[in-house]
Amino acid sequence: MNTLFDKIWDAHVVQQVEDGPVQLYIDRLYCHEVTSPQAFEGLRQRGIKCLRPDHIYCMPDHNTPTHDQDKPIEDPVSKAQVDVLARNARDFGLTHFGMMDPRNGIIHVVGPEQGLTLPGMTIVCGDSHTSTHGAMGAVAFGIGTSEVEMVLASQCILQTRPKTMRITIDGTLGRGVTAKDLALYMMMKMTTSGATGYFVEYAGSAVRSLSMEGRLTLCNLSIEMGARGGMVAPDEVTFAYIKGQPYAPKGEDWERAVAYWRTLRSDEDAVFDKEVRFDAADIEPMITYGTNPGMGMGITQHIPTTEGMGEAARASFGKSLDYMGFQPGEALLGKKIDYVFLGACTNGRIEDFRAFASIARGRKKAEGVVAWLVPGSWAVDRQIREEGLDKVLEAAGFEIRQPGCSACLAMNDDKVPAGKYAVSTSNRNFEGRQGPGSRTLLASPLTAAAAAVTGVITDPRTLL
């Protein structure tokens, strides 16, 4: 009667603190340059080493520029953070994929593609989008800096057990509808707090039909519904993705691992604390109009009106629309845009570049649109070139930048100017997230590509 979450969690409990949290063993800790410096400093002050250095992987991603990575970083703050991570990895004997390392990229893209993220693992990182790794059939969640220090020192963490939720999406996703649209649709229906306190398992025929890249996108956005994490039971799609990756098990170890991974699914009679169902047929390409990821709508729809809203909700809604420069009841189709961003740990994988290129092929980037196309890793960059997608995109007037978090957040050079509209494949559209005063509309790679070649918000289905 156990859920997939229960099976993995219970296998990692070291001890239950009486009337308190669980001491949970962690299989993999990922460290990037933003949340780890204070944690390493804490170890230094206490004269402590890392307990399991072979289980810890470090790489810079938030602060890395997406051009001239072979040269010193110009921004002094970014340079300091990237340099400190390299020093900490060296001092504590940890594996470090530095800038220009062929294994470098966004940590949540690199982990799965290198075979470091595996089914049945517990995985943490000082970053909320660690939920991404749950797509591989793992229990993965973001932690704070003090918790990073705890894992560095003990390879364990104190955690309160979350509740479980299963979201089942049955049916077939329509033409031009992607995993990103599925996630934005769920947030529109459930709001950004609809899964607070829960660990979500995604199930149903629509989820099973997703590629591994699609599942990673779906789990990446779990945190935006308030969930502690999201996961998909591993299956043949998972195994095919992992097989042959650099850190994946080999030979007899592979056979043993797959035999275990096949047991990682919720029992037929498993009881979840909450069950939610959606029909894939109800979902069309989505776009956000507000300042949180739950403020989304089908691309052919109109922004909701304030009818039936309470006073507080109406004030918050009005503030959000004022920031975006939109009106209640307004359509977004045909609205002029200024920037397009393809990338982030949400949509920086090879499938996302294939989707973008499918619309760019034989067309030209719209005049006046600035487009940042940023692979999630050097491995994705290599695949783009092996498949000739770089030629397709360059012929359409697009340039492929170097890997990093880029314009997902205003922590590097790729910032959207104040007042400008960006159709973005990233995960957050908060005020100023992509640059002070910037206005973000979250969408899929197909919708982003449609905007990039037309210069306005466009239903991608009209260009497929």
Side-chain angles (χ1 to χ4, degrees):
M1 288 183 58
N2 286 326
T3 68
L4 167 60
F5 172 83
D6 294 332
K7 290 179 181 182
I8 299 173
W9 181 276
D10 291 345
H12 288 80
V13 171
V14 177
Q15 63 173 327
Q16 171 74 56
V17 178
E18 192 176 340
D19 298 326
V22 160
Q23 184 186 9
L24 195 71
Y25 181 78
I26 299 300
D27 292 305
R28 193 77 77 216
L29 169 65
Y30 295 126
C31 288
H32 59 60
E33 74 277 25
V34 180
T35 53
S36 66
Q38 299 91 332
F40 283 111
E41 206 46 50
L43 294 196
R44 275 197 189 89
Q45 287 171 5
R46 292 191 289 154
I48 297 174
K49 292 179 178 174
C50 294
L51 181 72
R52 301 291 302 272
D54 56 326
H55 289 233
I56 303 165
Y57 290 79
C58 306
M59 71 198 77
D61 54 12
H62 284 55
N63 286 278
T64 54
T66 58
H67 56 85
D68 300 319
Q69 287 190 7
D70 56 331
K71 299 181 177 68
I73 298 174
E74 290 177 5
D75 179 67
V77 175
S78 292
K79 184 179 188 310
Q81 288 200 308
V82 170
D83 289 350
V84 165
L85 179 67
R87 178 169 67 91
N88 284 330
R90 188 175 61 247
D91 289 355
F92 287 91
L94 309 177
T95 303
H96 178 244
F97 300 162
M99 272 167 56
M100 298 304 294
D101 185 310
R103 301 163 298 181
N104 176 256
I106 303 171
I107 215 159
H108 306 314
V109 174
V110 172
E113 76 183 5
Q114 287 288 328
L116 286 165
T117 297
L118 297 173
M121 280 186 165
T122 48
I123 297 168
V124 295
C125 173
D127 186 281
S128 58
H129 293 107
T130 307
S131 58
T132 310
H133 303 267
M136 312 294 291
V139 167
F141 51 93
I143 57 175
T145 298
S146 60
E147 293 172 312
V148 172
E149 185 179 341
M150 195 186 294
V151 180
L152 289 171
S154 68
Q155 207 57 37
C156 291
I157 192 170
L158 294 173
Q159 281 291 293
T160 302
R161 189 189 193 106
K163 293 181 287 186
T164 56
M165 178 190 293
R166 179 163 56 191
I167 300 179
T168 304
I169 307 109
D170 279 318
T172 305
L173 292 172
R175 187 162 161 271
V177 179
T178 70
K180 181 64 163 289
D181 301 303
L182 203 166
L184 290 173
Y185 177 84
M186 286 192 297
M187 283 185 271
M188 175 187 76
K189 291 291 189 183
M190 295 177 62
T191 77
T192 50
S193 60
T196 300
Y198 291 91
F199 221 96
V200 175
E201 180 180 341
Y202 299 103
S205 56
V207 174
R208 289 270 155 240
S209 73
L210 294 175
S211 64
M212 202 64 241
E213 287 91 346
R215 296 175 187 188
L216 288 159
T217 296
L218 184 63
C219 289
N220 175 272
L221 288 155
S222 303
I223 190 73
E224 308 307 337
M225 292 193 299
R228 195 73 185 93
M231 61 199 313
V232 177
D235 58 11
E236 298 306 322
V237 173
T238 323
F239 310 150
Y241 183 89
I242 297 168
K243 191 168 190 180
Q245 303 288 23
Y247 288 87
K250 306 283 190 292
E252 287 181 9
D253 288 343
W254 171 258
E255 300 304 328
R256 269 196 300 275
V258 172
Y260 165 58
W261 295 343
R262 289 190 196 282
T263 69
L264 295 176
R265 54 188 58 253
S266 292
D267 297 333
E268 289 293 325
D269 53 358
V271 177
F272 290 79
D273 294 303
K274 189 171 183 179
E275 296 262 13
V276 180
R277 289 188 171 272
F278 296 110
D279 185 344
D282 296 336
I283 307 170
E284 68 169 330
M286 297 284 293
I287 194 158
T288 62
Y289 57 83
T291 53
N292 72 58
M295 297 179 79
M297 64 185 197
I299 197 157
T300 62
Q301 305 301 310
H302 292 73
I303 295 172
T305 64
T306 56
E307 194 177 334
M309 284 187 193
E311 194 175 333
R314 197 160 53 239
S316 171
F317 186 78
K319 179 178 178 287
S320 184
L321 289 196
D322 284 347
Y323 181 86
M324 293 299 294
F326 295 148
Q327 297 294 323
E330 193 177 10
L332 289 186
L333 282 177
K335 284 266 183 200
K336 184 180 175 302
I337 60 103
D338 308 292
Y339 282 73
V340 167
F341 171 51
L342 172 68
C345 57
T346 316
N347 284 121
R349 298 175 183 83
I350 187 63
E351 180 182 274
D352 305 310
F353 279 80
R354 289 175 189 147
F356 196 99
S358 73
I359 281 184
R361 192 183 305 273
R363 296 186 171 97
K364 290 286 183 191
K365 180 174 75 67
E367 200 174 328
V369 171
V370 176
W372 290 321
L373 277 53
V374 186
S377 68
W378 282 109
V380 172
D381 181 84
R382 287 192 293 277
Q383 207 166 345
I384 287 168
R385 295 173 200 286
E386 283 165 12
E387 296 182 14
L389 300 179
D390 57 326
K391 301 286 190 290
V392 172
L393 293 166
E394 282 161 17
F398 296 100
E399 174 203 354
I400 297 167
R401 297 170 80 88
Q402 293 178 321
C405 290
S406 183
C408 175
L409 76 175
M411 236 180 217
N412 49 69
D413 296 342
D414 301 350
K415 295 180 178 69
V416 176
K420 298 295 184 185
Y421 288 99
V423 176
S424 177
T425 66
S426 52
N427 40 47
R428 287 183 174 158
N429 54 345
F430 305 155
E431 291 187 19
R433 170 78 176 182
Q434 293 193 282
S438 61
R439 295 159 160 174
T440 301
L441 301 100
L442 300 178
S444 76
L446 288 174
T447 302
V453 298
T454 60
V456 297
I457 296 170
T458 301
D459 186 340
R461 293 172 294 190
T462 62
L463 301 183
L464 287 173

